[in-house]
Amino acid sequence: ATGQEPDIIYIQNKSYYLLDRPIAHDARLNEAIWQYLPARLSVSTGNWYGYTAVWELKNNKLCLKSICIENDDATGADRLSKKKFYNPDAFGDLFEPYREGEDIVASWYTDSVSTGYGEPVLYRHTGFNVYYPDETVLYFDAGRLINQVSYSNSKRDGLPLASQLSTGNRSKDENVLSQIQQLFPIEKFQKLTDHRILFTLENIELTADGRYKNSEIDFRIFRKDNREKVKISSSMNKKLVKAMHETLASIYPWETYSIRGKHIPYFPTMSAQLIPVEQ
C-alpha cells in the first residue's frame, strides 16, 4: 500500500486537498473512464487511477470541474508541463447522466471525505491516510453536502514509538520501545526470564502534553527453545499488564499527534519483544 495523490476541491475560491477519488466510487464511471484515457497514461504507485479530478463545492453540491491526466512520457521538471486538464465534456456523454444545468454533480457519491491544506501533520504511507493542520470533513449524500466538521490538528515533539519512526536527530535508542525494554521490571517475573515475552499495545491514548494515558495490553509468552506458547495464570497476566501500564506512564515525553480531538502516537498499535533480541 502506498500514499495516493489527492484530488483538489475549491471551496469559496480557495483550493484544498480532497482525500478521496470520488469518480472511483461509481462502478460504471470507474470502468468507463478508461476508454477515454490516453494509451501513454502515467500510472504510478502514487496514483493507481492514472488521473486526478478537480471539484468545486457549489451551492452545497460536489461539482466536477475537470480531470487531470499526466502523459507517461513526462519526466522530472517536465511533468508539470505535461499535465493536461480536461473538462467533463471531453469524455463524450460519460458524465451526462449527472448533469444539472451547467454542472456535473456527483450524485453517485454518498460518503464522508477529508479536506485540508498546508504541510501534513501526520502522513502514513497508505491510501489517503494523511492529516493536515486545518482539516474539514465533508459529509455528502447523493453529492449534496449535509454536514461538515472542522478540526485543528498538530504534532508535539517527543519520543517516537520505535527507531524506524524517528524523525530529526534522535539516536536509535531514543524511542518508546527502547525505554520499555530498559525500564520494564522484568526482575519481578523470575519465572519468565528464560522465555520470549511478546507484548502488543492497541488503541494507545496520550494526553495533549505527551504523557501516556491508556492502552489495551496483551502478552504472549513462548519457550525460547522450541517457541511453544506458554499459558500463564490470570494473576500473572494482571501483574504483567499492571507493570506495563506503570512503565508506559513513566516514559515522557511521547511524540504526540493531536488528530480530530484525539491524542495518539504515530501508530496507535505496537507489537514487540520485551527483551531485545540481542540479549
Side-chain angles (χ1 to χ4, degrees):
T2 57
Q4 293 296 297
E5 183 180 354
D7 279 7
I8 299 294
I9 185 170
Y10 283 85
I11 304 175
Q12 296 181 345
N13 296 319
K14 183 174 181 178
S15 66
Y16 299 82
Y17 296 115
L18 183 77
L19 300 178
D20 199 359
R21 197 78 80 234
I23 290 175
H25 282 242
D26 183 284
R28 185 188 70 86
L29 287 178
N30 191 43
E31 181 178 354
I33 195 172
W34 286 90
Q35 302 173 19
Y36 298 89
L37 300 180
R40 297 291 294 173
L41 176 70
S42 177
V43 176
S44 67
T45 56
N47 185 356
W48 290 115
Y49 301 92
Y51 65 89
T52 56
V54 179
W55 304 86
E56 180 184 9
L57 187 60
K58 183 178 179 182
N59 298 325
N60 286 332
K61 299 176 184 178
L62 183 61
C63 299
L64 179 63
K65 307 307 292 182
S66 62
I67 293 176
C68 178
I69 298 170
E70 183 178 311
N71 191 304
D72 196 37
D73 293 327
T75 58
D78 246 4
R79 295 184 65 185
L80 287 179
S81 64
K82 294 294 180 70
K83 282 190 173 184
K84 293 185 178 181
F85 292 84
Y86 301 85
N87 66 43
D89 293 338
F91 294 83
D93 61 357
L94 181 62
F95 295 101
E96 283 306 305
Y98 310 103
R99 181 175 293 282
E100 295 184 15
E102 297 180 350
D103 301 315
I104 301 298
V105 178
S107 56
W108 67 86
Y109 189 70
T110 297
D111 209 337
S112 61
V113 57
S114 175
T115 67
Y117 66 92
E119 292 297 316
V121 168
L122 174 59
Y123 171 77
R124 298 179 182 131
H125 199 52
T126 173
F128 298 102
N129 201 345
V130 56
Y131 299 88
Y132 292 92
D134 296 291
E135 177 191 18
T136 298
V137 180
L138 306 176
Y139 296 83
F140 289 99
D141 183 11
R144 270 68 175 173
L145 182 68
I146 58 173
N147 193 21
Q148 57 183 317
V149 181
S150 295
Y151 301 94
S152 293
N153 301 320
S154 62
K155 174 189 173 185
R156 187 184 190 280
D157 288 336
L159 296 171
L161 273 183
S163 59
Q164 65 266 31
L165 300 176
S166 180
T167 57
N169 299 317
R170 294 188 181 277
S171 73
K172 67 177 183 178
D173 294 325
E174 292 183 290
N175 58 75
V176 170
L177 176 57
S178 66
Q179 291 290 298
I180 292 172
Q181 293 170 336
Q182 293 173 39
L183 299 175
F184 187 88
I186 191 63
E187 67 279 359
K188 293 183 179 180
F189 303 91
Q190 291 297 320
K191 292 182 178 180
L192 301 179
T193 53
D194 291 330
H195 294 71
R196 291 176 63 244
I197 305 174
L198 304 181
F199 68 92
T200 298
L201 309 178
E202 293 186 327
N203 300 318
I204 303 171
E205 300 176 27
L206 307 175
T207 62
D209 61 347
R211 297 183 184 277
Y212 172 78
K213 183 178 180 182
N214 197 18
S215 69
E216 299 169 16
I217 301 173
D218 178 64
F219 280 93
R220 289 172 292 159
I221 315 298
F222 298 86
R223 297 188 186 281
K224 278 187 176 179
D225 51 0
N226 59 13
R227 297 192 176 186
E228 177 186 351
K229 188 174 182 180
V230 177
K231 185 176 181 179
I232 60 175
S233 67
S234 174
S235 174
M236 173 72 78
N237 185 68
K238 287 181 179 179
K239 290 178 181 178
L240 285 167
V241 170
K242 182 175 184 291
M244 180 60 77
H245 277 303
E246 292 173 348
T247 300
L248 295 172
S250 71
I251 299 171
Y252 177 82
W254 289 56
E255 181 182 75
T256 304
Y257 295 86
S258 296
I259 305 295
R260 298 185 180 181
K262 295 182 179 181
H263 311 296
I264 58 174
Y266 183 87
F267 284 117
T269 298
M270 177 174 69
S271 295
Q273 187 161 305
L274 184 58
I275 307 301
V277 176
E278 60 267 25
Q279 295 185 17

